Amino acid sequence: MRIGELASRTGVSVRSLRYYEEQGLLSSSRSTGGQRHYTEEEVERVAFIQRLYAAGLSSRTIAELLPCVDAPSEEHSDAALERMAQERDRLSAHIAGLARTRDALDALMAAAREYREHLRPTAAA
């Protein structure tokens, strides 16, 4: 199938598919006219790549995980699990940092509200 059909079947833009190829995540054969042609298996591969992106993984990390798909083995599986655990730890640290940032903003907002209350004129008794 050509790139437009793959894009249509997967819901992924042609531009993204080209990017996946540039990053080594997806491959195609070329016609004599230079058009990309994909196999039916590429539909599943693109769906898998999309799931990995949705999990917050970069194209570099996805490339590190693909040997587990391309050449399944215990070694590749262990390496993929270890790499995903590292990414989970990275995401957890980022979430913790965001929570600290949110808490700091909450404290600033509380201080601003308190300051604002002091600006209100007091009612004459």
Side-chain angles (χ1 to χ4, degrees), residues 48-103:
F48 181 65
I49 291 168
Q50 286 298 109
R51 286 194 306 273
L52 294 170
Y53 274 123
L57 303 179
S58 68
S59 57
R60 181 184 303 152
T61 301
I62 292 170
E64 292 174 23
L65 297 176
L66 287 177
C68 186
V69 175
D70 297 335
S73 70
E74 225 177 292
E75 181 183 343
H76 285 154
S77 182
D78 289 345
L81 286 167
E82 175 60 30
R83 188 66 179 100
M84 286 188 282
Q86 291 169 359
E87 285 300 308
R88 188 181 191 293
D89 291 345
R90 182 189 62 79
L91 288 170
S92 293
H94 186 65
I95 290 167
L98 288 172
R100 285 189 300 274
T101 300
R102 182 202 54 217
D103 293 346

